[in-house]
Amino acid sequence: MLDNITKKNINDCRDVLVGKVPDPKSQVEQITLALIYKFMDDMDKEAVEKFKGNAKFFTGEYAKYGWRKLFDPALSGADMLALYSDALEKLNTNPNIPELFRNIFKNAYLPYRDPSTLKLFLKYINEFEYSHSEKLGDAFEYLLSVMGSQGDAGQFRTPRHIIDFVTACVNPQKNETVLDPACGTAGFLLSAYKHILHQNTSATSTSSPLGRPGGDLKPDDRKKLATNFVGYDISPDMVRLSLANMYLHGFATPNIYEYDTLSSEDRWQETYDVILANPPFMTPKGGIRPHKKFGVQANKAEVLFTDYIAEHLNSNGRAGIVVPNGIVATSQTAYKQLRKMLVQDSLIAVISLPAGVFQPYSGVKTSVLILDKRLAKKSQHILFLKIENDGFDLGAQRREHDKNDLPLALRTLEAFKDCLSHEKAFEELPSLATLVEKEIVLGNRDVVLSAERYFETTKSQTEFELVKLGDEKYFKIESGGTPSSEIAEYWNGNIHWATLKDLPATDFITTINDTERKITELGLAKSSAKMLPSNSILVSSRATIGRIAINKIPVSTNQGFKNIVIQDYSKAIPEYIAFVLTEKVEEMNEMSSGSTFKEISKTSFSEIEIPLPPIDIQQQIVAEIEGYQKIIDGAKQIVNNYKPSIKIKPEWEMVELGDVCKFSQGIQVDVSLQSLIQKTGQTRFIRIIDFTQGEQEPRFVDTPNEKNIIKTEDISMVRYGASTGFVCTGLEGVLANNLFKIIPITEQLTKRFLFYILNSPLVQDVIFKNTQGVAMPAISFGILNEIKIPLTSLEEQAEIVERIGEEQALVNGNKKLIELFEQKIKDKINEVWGVKKEYNNEEEELSVAAEAVIKY
């Protein structure tokens, strides 16, 4: 368990470096090097003082680099910097230190030349001791978690709970060899190690004097464990971090190698009992140039890594692989060959993860392939599991919540494996699971492994005929195209040319009556695009997938669209097709693939099935939905256009804001305080994002300044940044320094009246005109002091506050109306698919909201 003191020390180190070393990965590397450097000196000190021996590492010509020499009072700041920099570059040549440490210091250097930064940094590092190394292993994992950016080779940091879930699915054992061929910082290897320790910890072992997990392991077991874990990575920086991470978790000589898994043949003959990996998704320009031993000939990294893992399992080996959507759905030959090989040889389960698991680093859609060569021989089925929730929301913040499908998915997989082992039927499937015969998967032309393809939860319930979009009795699918170049004579013509810009993300279904660009007949002739007749359905199919429009004019589209031309209007109407397709957006994303841009192929798009009721029922459905949409549009007009107004009477006194209020600036967030902002503490820390984006995962401080505390009824305003002038109430905590509190200093001014005045154009226009600065726009307190505001009697203030409150209640009623009728539209579309909605009290809420609209 990571203790707060160790976490604070690591945060302090990062905070010192952040101004000189902005890249998180480089920060981690510098802290790693310094910690190992310090620990070697601690071990020398222990050998001399505790065991009455001699220093082992810093001896001979390297004695001058001893850690304690850096703190010699006779050294100036420049001397300390020179000595430390020289040591980093020379330690990998020290024959007295183990190869592990020499590898960690290989190509090491100091990336900044500021003595004061180094001195403070080394001061914090000096607070760690080698005796802390066991608990520091958890701290190091925390440190590695800050490396949020994508690596040069396409690595993404895999969330810890996903790593542990994949490991639990594969269930490595104490006597098995474990490989990660793209190990990054060794997260999967250490997850497997901890999983084995947990398996071998009983009630009696945890109460042993050692008090360590894995107490049931025998000395021979531990000796094997030390050699059973192997990792490769092409990046020297990642190898360095993996070595340190493994070392800090008790591996004296970790088996981590700088190795090009896809291009080198040196380790091709090695096989393993268990392989766990989240291989790089990115393929460099020009593709990979692999050797010829791969079973599937390809130049895409994701294909080659998956093939490598499948081919390097022992005869009864198992694997868990996080793969991008291309592996399960792309229709290119290499991908299809790979999937066919997996289904025939080793695949037992596909676990679909929701898009957003890798947020905030990437929104890429992923799945987990579970391979088991022994059980695959016994199974005639593939288990598909569809995860909707992984315990965190899928936005950039990834806030934790109580919805989590992973435990049930793991139990379902374990039950499936148990049935295969004992040759029993597996029948109890929860809603997130489905079993599909291998023959059905292999019978699919593209051998698709997308879980969405095989779930029948809605399709089987609809009472209407299901037709494919590629069924030429009803539809014709036309892909968009691109002219061969941006030649001037191709553009500014008279043919409407649609791009994603013509399909705004905010509308439910867009109607296209015009386009941003026009193309000439020559330009169209030079592209592969076709002219689409009016009332076709345009679907974005590249990068941003699933925006839908109906063109009311003849139009042609770029390559980012798959377009549906209705062949028989007595069988289908465009509005119905557009509405029902909104329920297939997730499936479209499941079926898409690509490393640079996701895209759904014409073949896959044509396979999508939709219910097609008789034309009169389609017309009824469209009429009902369009009626709901008119109510939504009307309510949005009110919500979007409402602004509280205060009519200022000539007889009211106009006073300067500084004469009736005082301002209290938020607390300064500097290096020393940043480490105190955490997920738990005494007082909530209020940030701009808490103002402008609603409820966020809260942050806390332990040492608040009382004068900066705000209560729920207090008024606060943003002083710096893009949201300068934003006014808020209802929050309670301590303000950040880019916020300030506005406090009335006269009893003749109520807080609520002041709040409405500050939000009015009277004040906001002055703030807008006087906000200065480009990099960090701000409003000065001098300007704020001089802003004129009206001051009237307390009775009139109360009347104004009551009136605006009533208006805002009506606006909130319209917001509720929008929410409820949007749900009505979704429910109507779900009905087509056979999914019914129980309303409970929503009808009553609709009546109340509708009355509010009429009253307004």
Side-chain angles (χ1 to χ4, degrees), residues 411-442:
R411 292 195 300 271
T412 304
L413 176 63
E414 288 174 340
F416 176 58
K417 291 195 291 185
D418 182 68
C419 288
L420 290 178
S421 294
H422 295 90
E423 299 183 358
K424 299 184 299 183
F426 182 57
E427 297 174 350
E428 295 183 11
L429 283 172
S431 60
L432 57 68
T434 188
L435 273 180
V436 181
E437 292 182 11
K438 289 182 179 180
E439 287 186 5
I440 292 177
V441 176
L442 293 172

mmCIF file of all heavy atoms in Angstrom, residues 411-442:
data_model
loop_
_atom_site.group_PDB
_atom_site.id
_atom_site.type_symbol
_atom_site.label_atom_id
_atom_site.label_comp_id
_atom_site.label_asym_id
_atom_site.label_seq_id
_atom_site.Cartn_x
_atom_site.Cartn_y
_atom_site.Cartn_z
ATOM 1 N N ARG A 411 -15.884 -13.918 -13.643
ATOM 2 C CA ARG A 411 -16.555 -15.123 -13.143
ATOM 3 C C ARG A 411 -17.128 -15.953 -14.286
ATOM 4 O O ARG A 411 -17.071 -17.199 -14.266
ATOM 5 C CB ARG A 411 -17.669 -14.734 -12.159
ATOM 6 C CG ARG A 411 -17.177 -14.135 -10.863
ATOM 7 C CD ARG A 411 -18.284 -14.122 -9.798
ATOM 8 N NE ARG A 411 -19.443 -13.339 -10.202
ATOM 9 C CZ ARG A 411 -19.583 -12.043 -9.965
ATOM 10 N NH1 ARG A 411 -18.614 -11.371 -9.346
ATOM 11 N NH2 ARG A 411 -20.675 -11.399 -10.341
ATOM 12 N N THR A 412 -17.678 -15.263 -15.298
ATOM 13 C CA THR A 412 -18.255 -15.981 -16.448
ATOM 14 C C THR A 412 -17.166 -16.724 -17.212
ATOM 15 O O THR A 412 -17.350 -17.893 -17.603
ATOM 16 C CB THR A 412 -18.973 -14.988 -17.373
ATOM 17 O OG1 THR A 412 -19.952 -14.267 -16.635
ATOM 18 C CG2 THR A 412 -19.642 -15.712 -18.533
ATOM 19 N N LEU A 413 -16.034 -16.075 -17.429
ATOM 20 C CA LEU A 413 -14.921 -16.723 -18.129
ATOM 21 C C LEU A 413 -14.406 -17.917 -17.332
ATOM 22 O O LEU A 413 -14.128 -18.992 -17.905
ATOM 23 C CB LEU A 413 -13.800 -15.712 -18.365
ATOM 24 C CG LEU A 413 -12.525 -16.260 -19.007
ATOM 25 C CD1 LEU A 413 -12.806 -16.797 -20.411
ATOM 26 C CD2 LEU A 413 -11.437 -15.181 -19.068
ATOM 27 N N GLU A 414 -14.275 -17.763 -16.020
ATOM 28 C CA GLU A 414 -13.790 -18.877 -15.189
ATOM 29 C C GLU A 414 -14.758 -20.056 -15.242
ATOM 30 O O GLU A 414 -14.334 -21.221 -15.318
ATOM 31 C CB GLU A 414 -13.611 -18.399 -13.746
ATOM 32 C CG GLU A 414 -12.414 -17.461 -13.558
ATOM 33 C CD GLU A 414 -12.347 -16.887 -12.159
ATOM 34 O OE1 GLU A 414 -13.389 -16.888 -11.462
ATOM 35 O OE2 GLU A 414 -11.263 -16.414 -11.771
ATOM 36 N N ALA A 415 -16.065 -19.761 -15.229
ATOM 37 C CA ALA A 415 -17.052 -20.840 -15.308
ATOM 38 C C ALA A 415 -16.973 -21.542 -16.658
ATOM 39 O O ALA A 415 -17.089 -22.781 -16.745
ATOM 40 C CB ALA A 415 -18.457 -20.276 -15.080
ATOM 41 N N PHE A 416 -16.789 -20.771 -17.730
ATOM 42 C CA PHE A 416 -16.659 -21.343 -19.070
ATOM 43 C C PHE A 416 -15.434 -22.256 -19.144
ATOM 44 O O PHE A 416 -15.514 -23.388 -19.666
ATOM 45 C CB PHE A 416 -16.548 -20.210 -20.085
ATOM 46 C CG PHE A 416 -16.323 -20.650 -21.506
ATOM 47 C CD1 PHE A 416 -17.228 -21.493 -22.142
ATOM 48 C CD2 PHE A 416 -15.205 -20.222 -22.219
ATOM 49 C CE1 PHE A 416 -17.024 -21.899 -23.460
ATOM 50 C CE2 PHE A 416 -14.996 -20.616 -23.525
ATOM 51 C CZ PHE A 416 -15.914 -21.462 -24.152
ATOM 52 N N LYS A 417 -14.308 -21.796 -18.614
ATOM 53 C CA LYS A 417 -13.087 -22.617 -18.636
ATOM 54 C C LYS A 417 -13.262 -23.877 -17.794
ATOM 55 O O LYS A 417 -12.771 -24.960 -18.165
ATOM 56 C CB LYS A 417 -11.897 -21.793 -18.132
ATOM 57 C CG LYS A 417 -11.488 -20.683 -19.098
ATOM 58 C CD LYS A 417 -10.109 -20.106 -18.786
ATOM 59 C CE LYS A 417 -10.078 -19.327 -17.526
ATOM 60 N NZ LYS A 417 -8.773 -18.668 -17.296
ATOM 61 N N ASP A 418 -13.949 -23.737 -16.658
ATOM 62 C CA ASP A 418 -14.178 -24.915 -15.810
ATOM 63 C C ASP A 418 -15.032 -25.947 -16.540
ATOM 64 O O ASP A 418 -14.757 -27.158 -16.474
ATOM 65 C CB ASP A 418 -14.869 -24.475 -14.509
ATOM 66 C CG ASP A 418 -15.099 -25.645 -13.569
ATOM 67 O OD1 ASP A 418 -14.106 -26.185 -13.044
ATOM 68 O OD2 ASP A 418 -16.271 -26.020 -13.357
ATOM 69 N N CYS A 419 -16.061 -25.489 -17.253
ATOM 70 C CA CYS A 419 -16.904 -26.420 -18.016
ATOM 71 C C CYS A 419 -16.111 -27.115 -19.121
ATOM 72 O O CYS A 419 -16.282 -28.321 -19.361
ATOM 73 C CB CYS A 419 -18.097 -25.680 -18.614
ATOM 74 S SG CYS A 419 -19.337 -25.185 -17.408
ATOM 75 N N LEU A 420 -15.216 -26.367 -19.778
ATOM 76 C CA LEU A 420 -14.389 -26.989 -20.821
ATOM 77 C C LEU A 420 -13.444 -28.023 -20.219
ATOM 78 O O LEU A 420 -13.259 -29.115 -20.776
ATOM 79 C CB LEU A 420 -13.586 -25.915 -21.554
ATOM 80 C CG LEU A 420 -14.371 -24.953 -22.452
ATOM 81 C CD1 LEU A 420 -13.429 -23.911 -23.072
ATOM 82 C CD2 LEU A 420 -15.110 -25.703 -23.560
ATOM 83 N N SER A 421 -12.860 -27.698 -19.073
ATOM 84 C CA SER A 421 -11.913 -28.621 -18.435
ATOM 85 C C SER A 421 -12.586 -29.925 -18.049
ATOM 86 O O SER A 421 -11.994 -31.006 -18.154
ATOM 87 C CB SER A 421 -11.292 -27.980 -17.196
ATOM 88 O OG SER A 421 -10.483 -26.881 -17.556
ATOM 89 N N HIS A 422 -13.843 -29.813 -17.593
ATOM 90 C CA HIS A 422 -14.549 -31.012 -17.127
ATOM 91 C C HIS A 422 -15.560 -31.511 -18.156
ATOM 92 O O HIS A 422 -16.397 -32.371 -17.848
ATOM 93 C CB HIS A 422 -15.262 -30.710 -15.804
ATOM 94 C CG HIS A 422 -14.320 -30.402 -14.679
ATOM 95 N ND1 HIS A 422 -13.885 -29.127 -14.389
ATOM 96 C CD2 HIS A 422 -13.699 -31.223 -13.798
ATOM 97 C CE1 HIS A 422 -13.057 -29.157 -13.367
ATOM 98 N NE2 HIS A 422 -12.920 -30.423 -12.982
ATOM 99 N N GLU A 423 -15.485 -30.931 -19.367
ATOM 100 C CA GLU A 423 -16.331 -31.363 -20.481
ATOM 101 C C GLU A 423 -17.812 -31.344 -20.112
ATOM 102 O O GLU A 423 -18.562 -32.300 -20.372
ATOM 103 C CB GLU A 423 -15.895 -32.741 -20.983
ATOM 104 C CG GLU A 423 -14.454 -32.726 -21.497
ATOM 105 C CD GLU A 423 -14.023 -34.069 -22.073
ATOM 106 O OE1 GLU A 423 -14.832 -35.014 -22.030
ATOM 107 O OE2 GLU A 423 -12.885 -34.147 -22.561
ATOM 108 N N LYS A 424 -18.202 -30.228 -19.498
ATOM 109 C CA LYS A 424 -19.611 -30.028 -19.136
ATOM 110 C C LYS A 424 -20.217 -28.956 -20.041
ATOM 111 O O LYS A 424 -19.510 -28.105 -20.573
ATOM 112 C CB LYS A 424 -19.737 -29.582 -17.667
ATOM 113 C CG LYS A 424 -19.205 -30.589 -16.662
ATOM 114 C CD LYS A 424 -19.474 -30.105 -15.238
ATOM 115 C CE LYS A 424 -18.777 -28.781 -14.953
ATOM 116 N NZ LYS A 424 -18.968 -28.332 -13.551
ATOM 117 N N ALA A 425 -21.541 -28.976 -20.163
ATOM 118 C CA ALA A 425 -22.218 -27.935 -20.948
ATOM 119 C C ALA A 425 -22.195 -26.616 -20.174
ATOM 120 O O ALA A 425 -22.299 -26.599 -18.950
ATOM 121 C CB ALA A 425 -23.656 -28.354 -21.232
ATOM 122 N N PHE A 426 -22.039 -25.537 -20.907
ATOM 123 C CA PHE A 426 -22.008 -24.207 -20.292
ATOM 124 C C PHE A 426 -23.258 -23.469 -20.750
ATOM 125 O O PHE A 426 -23.376 -23.083 -21.908
ATOM 126 C CB PHE A 426 -20.749 -23.458 -20.724
ATOM 127 C CG PHE A 426 -20.598 -22.101 -20.097
ATOM 128 C CD1 PHE A 426 -20.572 -21.958 -18.720
ATOM 129 C CD2 PHE A 426 -20.483 -20.969 -20.884
ATOM 130 C CE1 PHE A 426 -20.426 -20.720 -18.131
ATOM 131 C CE2 PHE A 426 -20.333 -19.715 -20.309
ATOM 132 C CZ PHE A 426 -20.311 -19.587 -18.928
ATOM 133 N N GLU A 427 -24.203 -23.282 -19.823
ATOM 134 C CA GLU A 427 -25.505 -22.765 -20.224
ATOM 135 C C GLU A 427 -25.896 -21.457 -19.539
ATOM 136 O O GLU A 427 -26.696 -20.692 -20.080
ATOM 137 C CB GLU A 427 -26.587 -23.823 -19.939
ATOM 138 C CG GLU A 427 -26.382 -25.104 -20.757
ATOM 139 C CD GLU A 427 -27.363 -26.196 -20.369
ATOM 140 O OE1 GLU A 427 -28.057 -26.005 -19.353
ATOM 141 O OE2 GLU A 427 -27.419 -27.214 -21.066
ATOM 142 N N GLU A 428 -25.382 -21.172 -18.353
ATOM 143 C CA GLU A 428 -25.824 -20.009 -17.588
ATOM 144 C C GLU A 428 -25.048 -18.772 -18.034
ATOM 145 O O GLU A 428 -24.002 -18.443 -17.491
ATOM 146 C CB GLU A 428 -25.647 -20.257 -16.093
ATOM 147 C CG GLU A 428 -26.518 -21.377 -15.564
ATOM 148 C CD GLU A 428 -26.384 -21.550 -14.059
ATOM 149 O OE1 GLU A 428 -25.782 -20.666 -13.422
ATOM 150 O OE2 GLU A 428 -26.876 -22.547 -13.542
ATOM 151 N N LEU A 429 -25.598 -18.096 -19.024
ATOM 152 C CA LEU A 429 -24.926 -16.921 -19.589
ATOM 153 C C LEU A 429 -25.590 -15.645 -19.095
ATOM 154 O O LEU A 429 -26.799 -15.463 -19.283
ATOM 155 C CB LEU A 429 -24.993 -16.954 -21.118
ATOM 156 C CG LEU A 429 -24.032 -17.901 -21.842
ATOM 157 C CD1 LEU A 429 -24.382 -17.939 -23.308
ATOM 158 C CD2 LEU A 429 -22.601 -17.459 -21.653
ATOM 159 N N PRO A 430 -24.831 -14.736 -18.481
ATOM 160 C CA PRO A 430 -25.398 -13.434 -18.151
ATOM 161 C C PRO A 430 -25.573 -12.599 -19.415
ATOM 162 O O PRO A 430 -25.106 -12.974 -20.502
ATOM 163 C CB PRO A 430 -24.340 -12.817 -17.223
ATOM 164 C CG PRO A 430 -23.064 -13.473 -17.626
ATOM 165 C CD PRO A 430 -23.428 -14.862 -18.063
ATOM 166 N N SER A 431 -26.217 -11.448 -19.291
ATOM 167 C CA SER A 431 -26.534 -10.637 -20.470
ATOM 168 C C SER A 431 -25.287 -10.107 -21.162
ATOM 169 O O SER A 431 -25.328 -9.781 -22.349
ATOM 170 C CB SER A 431 -27.429 -9.464 -20.075
ATOM 171 O OG SER A 431 -26.785 -8.639 -19.117
ATOM 172 N N LEU A 432 -24.161 -10.017 -20.447
ATOM 173 C CA LEU A 432 -22.946 -9.492 -21.085
ATOM 174 C C LEU A 432 -22.182 -10.547 -21.864
ATOM 175 O O LEU A 432 -21.109 -10.278 -22.413
ATOM 176 C CB LEU A 432 -22.031 -8.820 -20.057
ATOM 177 C CG LEU A 432 -21.517 -9.599 -18.839
ATOM 178 C CD1 LEU A 432 -20.551 -10.694 -19.167
ATOM 179 C CD2 LEU A 432 -20.880 -8.628 -17.855
ATOM 180 N N ALA A 433 -22.717 -11.774 -21.928
ATOM 181 C CA ALA A 433 -21.994 -12.875 -22.573
ATOM 182 C C ALA A 433 -22.857 -13.559 -23.621
ATOM 183 O O ALA A 433 -24.087 -13.601 -23.529
ATOM 184 C CB ALA A 433 -21.557 -13.898 -21.526
ATOM 185 N N THR A 434 -22.170 -14.107 -24.623
ATOM 186 C CA THR A 434 -22.832 -14.965 -25.601
ATOM 187 C C THR A 434 -21.823 -15.975 -26.121
ATOM 188 O O THR A 434 -20.626 -15.685 -26.209
ATOM 189 C CB THR A 434 -23.437 -14.148 -26.763
ATOM 190 O OG1 THR A 434 -24.228 -15.005 -27.589
ATOM 191 C CG2 THR A 434 -22.361 -13.507 -27.623
ATOM 192 N N LEU A 435 -22.295 -17.174 -26.411
ATOM 193 C CA LEU A 435 -21.449 -18.230 -26.979
ATOM 194 C C LEU A 435 -21.744 -18.353 -28.470
ATOM 195 O O LEU A 435 -22.906 -18.398 -28.868
ATOM 196 C CB LEU A 435 -21.737 -19.576 -26.306
ATOM 197 C CG LEU A 435 -20.982 -19.929 -25.027
ATOM 198 C CD1 LEU A 435 -21.417 -21.303 -24.543
ATOM 199 C CD2 LEU A 435 -19.473 -19.904 -25.232
ATOM 200 N N VAL A 436 -20.685 -18.416 -29.262
ATOM 201 C CA VAL A 436 -20.839 -18.522 -30.712
ATOM 202 C C VAL A 436 -20.011 -19.708 -31.204
ATOM 203 O O VAL A 436 -18.836 -19.856 -30.830
ATOM 204 C CB VAL A 436 -20.378 -17.236 -31.424
ATOM 205 C CG1 VAL A 436 -20.563 -17.358 -32.927
ATOM 206 C CG2 VAL A 436 -21.139 -16.033 -30.891
ATOM 207 N N GLU A 437 -20.629 -20.553 -32.011
ATOM 208 C CA GLU A 437 -19.902 -21.707 -32.545
ATOM 209 C C GLU A 437 -18.749 -21.251 -33.438
ATOM 210 O O GLU A 437 -18.885 -20.285 -34.204
ATOM 211 C CB GLU A 437 -20.849 -22.599 -33.346
ATOM 212 C CG GLU A 437 -21.901 -23.291 -32.495
ATOM 213 C CD GLU A 437 -22.786 -24.196 -33.333
ATOM 214 O OE1 GLU A 437 -22.447 -24.427 -34.515
ATOM 215 O OE2 GLU A 437 -23.813 -24.661 -32.810
ATOM 216 N N LYS A 438 -17.632 -21.941 -33.337
ATOM 217 C CA LYS A 438 -16.473 -21.603 -34.171
ATOM 218 C C LYS A 438 -16.825 -21.680 -35.652
ATOM 219 O O LYS A 438 -16.326 -20.879 -36.456
ATOM 220 C CB LYS A 438 -15.309 -22.550 -33.862
ATOM 221 C CG LYS A 438 -14.664 -22.342 -32.507
ATOM 222 C CD LYS A 438 -13.489 -23.295 -32.314
ATOM 223 C CE LYS A 438 -12.819 -23.100 -30.985
ATOM 224 N NZ LYS A 438 -11.675 -24.028 -30.770
ATOM 225 N N GLU A 439 -17.684 -22.628 -36.012
ATOM 226 C CA GLU A 439 -18.056 -22.772 -37.424
ATOM 227 C C GLU A 439 -18.749 -21.518 -37.937
ATOM 228 O O GLU A 439 -18.568 -21.122 -39.089
ATOM 229 C CB GLU A 439 -18.966 -23.992 -37.597
ATOM 230 C CG GLU A 439 -18.235 -25.321 -37.465
ATOM 231 C CD GLU A 439 -19.146 -26.495 -37.782
ATOM 232 O OE1 GLU A 439 -20.313 -26.251 -38.192
ATOM 233 O OE2 GLU A 439 -18.710 -27.643 -37.624
ATOM 234 N N ILE A 440 -19.562 -20.899 -37.077
ATOM 235 C CA ILE A 440 -20.251 -19.669 -37.480
ATOM 236 C C ILE A 440 -19.233 -18.550 -37.680
ATOM 237 O O ILE A 440 -19.312 -17.793 -38.653
ATOM 238 C CB ILE A 440 -21.301 -19.272 -36.422
ATOM 239 C CG1 ILE A 440 -22.429 -20.303 -36.418
ATOM 240 C CG2 ILE A 440 -21.833 -17.865 -36.683
ATOM 241 C CD1 ILE A 440 -23.486 -20.049 -35.353
ATOM 242 N N VAL A 441 -18.277 -18.432 -36.753
ATOM 243 C CA VAL A 441 -17.245 -17.393 -36.871
ATOM 244 C C VAL A 441 -16.420 -17.612 -38.133
ATOM 245 O O VAL A 441 -16.188 -16.686 -38.919
ATOM 246 C CB VAL A 441 -16.347 -17.378 -35.627
ATOM 247 C CG1 VAL A 441 -15.217 -16.352 -35.796
ATOM 248 C CG2 VAL A 441 -17.152 -17.066 -34.376
ATOM 249 N N LEU A 442 -15.999 -18.851 -38.354
ATOM 250 C CA LEU A 442 -15.179 -19.154 -39.529
ATOM 251 C C LEU A 442 -15.985 -19.055 -40.819
ATOM 252 O O LEU A 442 -15.427 -18.792 -41.890
ATOM 253 C CB LEU A 442 -14.565 -20.551 -39.390
ATOM 254 C CG LEU A 442 -13.530 -20.712 -38.271
ATOM 255 C CD1 LEU A 442 -13.147 -22.174 -38.100
ATOM 256 C CD2 LEU A 442 -12.290 -19.883 -38.571
#
